[in-house]
Amino acid sequence: MGTGPSAKKFGSRSKLKKYKRKTWLCRRVKDTDQIQDEIEKASETGKPIAFKYDDELPGGGQFYCVETGKHFTDAKALADHKKSRYYKKRCKELKQEKYTQDVAEWASGMTKEKLPPAHAKK
Amino acid sequence: MLFVRNDSKRFRFCRSKCHRNFNKKRNPRKVAWTKAYRRTRGKEMAVDSTFDFEKRRNRPVKYDRGLMGKTIVAMRRVEEIQQTRDARFFENRMQDAKAEKKKQARVEIEKSIELLAPAVANREEVMRNVIDSAKSRIAARKKSSNKLTTTPNSAMVEG
């Protein structure tokens, strides 16, 4: 049981809730709508999502998977990742319509009042 | 409960159930018990003029006793109208539901007839056994009653 790499990471097996919570928070992956935003922005500006060389990131930040928001050490690792089930699942999720706060508010009947601006531009 | 994501977006949750489902990265549009699911699928009334009354208003309004009284009366009335419309919407939605359910059941029976056939055969056999045993019991009773009829006076007294 628990032979996967993530299970062996420091803090993930902690019984103390505060340590567990901390590791869980800092390893929290990006949400779907965040990635959808990034992709949208990239397509609008025409600039692909790229990183400058950074020693602290795996592979210097040069092998980045946009759909899952992960860095890889080399091109082979990235290619392998793109064959994985996790990647394919994420791609499927990204194709769906974006779920935003506005949609949530509409669903719960908490719409906002639209008013003319208080200080109109002259 | 409030969760602030690292891009400073705030998420308020009505209950821990919602928070946990958010942490599991579930899409509310796909979870059947959410309002988002029900409204996008047309299970609930989504477009109506009564929804326009209740809105978050970020601009303060100067206190006016008359206005407040009117608003309270209007709120009750709007709620009433919304409820009747909701009920009507539900009725419309459920109109064909009964027939549809029956149809689906029939299709299911036809699909899995192999499963049902032996059970039905078994039931027939059981019924036959029951009938046979009942017949034999009746016959036995008749025989015994015949014996009793030889002494009718005693039977009458008992009756």
Side-chain angles (χ1 to χ4, degrees):
Chain A
M1 231 184 88
T3 50
S6 61
K8 281 179 187 170
K9 273 182 191 165
F10 171 78
S12 60
R13 287 186 158 187
S14 175
K15 277 177 184 169
L16 288 171
K17 203 178 181 184
K18 58 175 181 180
Y19 295 130
K20 210 170 194 175
R21 177 114 187 123
K22 204 181 171 191
T23 51
W24 172 80
L25 256 183
C26 61
R27 277 177 209 144
R28 188 184 159 78
V29 290
K30 278 178 184 169
D31 281 321
T32 318
D33 63 308
Q34 270 173 309
I35 292 165
Q36 278 170 331
D37 273 340
E38 280 176 8
I39 290 170
E40 257 176 40
K41 207 181 173 187
S43 68
E44 267 177 25
T45 53
K47 282 180 195 166
I49 299 161
F51 289 82
K52 277 182 185 172
Y53 189 84
D54 186 355
D55 270 334
E56 288 190 357
L57 292 172
Q62 299 306 299
F63 306 100
Y64 181 66
C65 175
V66 178
E67 283 85 354
T68 49
K70 278 187 174 184
H71 288 281
F72 292 90
T73 50
D74 51 25
K76 193 182 173 294
L78 181 60
D80 281 346
H81 164 71
K82 293 211 171 185
K83 282 178 201 163
S84 69
R85 189 176 288 173
Y86 177 68
Y87 172 79
K88 284 174 187 168
K89 199 178 167 190
R90 211 66 207 273
C91 283
K92 226 180 190 179
E93 280 172 6
L94 289 175
K95 276 177 197 164
Q96 286 160 9
E97 206 183 329
K98 193 158 73 176
Y99 191 83
T100 56
Q101 186 64 31
D102 290 336
V103 182
E105 275 170 11
W106 165 78
S108 60
M110 278 166 46
T111 45
K112 271 184 200 168
E113 190 185 27
K114 270 181 192 171
L115 286 169
H119 305 286
K121 281 176 189 173
K122 283 168 191 173
Chain B
M1 218 176 300
L2 179 71
F3 172 70
V4 186
R5 216 209 257 153
N6 56 7
D7 64 345
S8 80
K9 252 185 191 167
R10 304 160 126 223
F11 297 87
R12 276 186 192 280
F13 302 101
C14 52
R15 57 199 80 173
S16 65
K17 184 186 183 185
C18 299
H19 193 186
R20 269 183 280 134
N21 275 276
F22 175 80
N23 286 342
K24 283 174 182 168
K25 297 197 182 300
R26 280 187 185 151
N27 187 354
R29 275 209 199 89
K30 297 210 151 189
V31 183
W33 51 264
T34 60
K35 278 272 175 188
Y37 175 95
R38 293 188 65 79
R39 282 210 173 173
T40 47
R41 305 271 170 132
K43 308 262 177 205
E44 266 176 24
M45 199 166 60
V47 186
D48 196 56
S49 56
T50 50
F51 294 134
D52 296 337
F53 291 99
E54 194 184 336
K55 274 186 178 175
R56 207 135 45 99
R57 290 165 213 272
N58 292 333
R59 199 171 290 180
V61 179
K62 210 174 185 185
Y63 178 73
D64 179 1
R65 198 182 152 85
L67 179 68
M68 193 197 73
K70 269 185 192 170
T71 315
I72 287 170
V73 171
M75 274 161 68
R76 281 198 203 113
R77 181 76 189 125
V78 167
E79 182 67 32
E80 225 174 73
I81 293 168
Q82 203 172 316
Q83 274 179 4
T84 50
R85 282 186 188 174
D86 263 332
R88 205 187 303 148
F89 183 87
F90 180 78
E91 247 172 46
N92 279 341
R93 194 162 73 81
M94 287 293 144
Q95 246 176 11
D96 313 325
K98 222 175 190 180
E100 189 65 24
K101 256 187 188 171
K102 224 172 191 179
K103 210 170 148 191
Q104 279 175 1
R106 191 153 290 167
V107 168
E108 204 185 338
I109 286 170
E110 273 172 22
K111 260 188 190 171
S112 53
I113 194 73
E114 293 91 0
L115 274 175
L116 283 175
V120 170
N122 188 34
R123 193 198 285 159
E124 275 172 6
E125 207 180 287
V126 169
M127 283 303 286
R128 219 175 294 138
N129 285 343
V130 167
I131 290 165
D132 284 348
S133 61
K135 270 182 183 169
S136 61
R137 237 182 293 137
I138 289 164
R141 210 179 290 152
K142 266 186 183 170
K143 260 186 191 172
S144 60
S145 67
N146 276 341
K147 272 178 195 170
L148 280 175
T149 44
T150 49
T151 53
N153 293 332
S154 63
M156 285 294 280
V157 169
E158 272 173 27

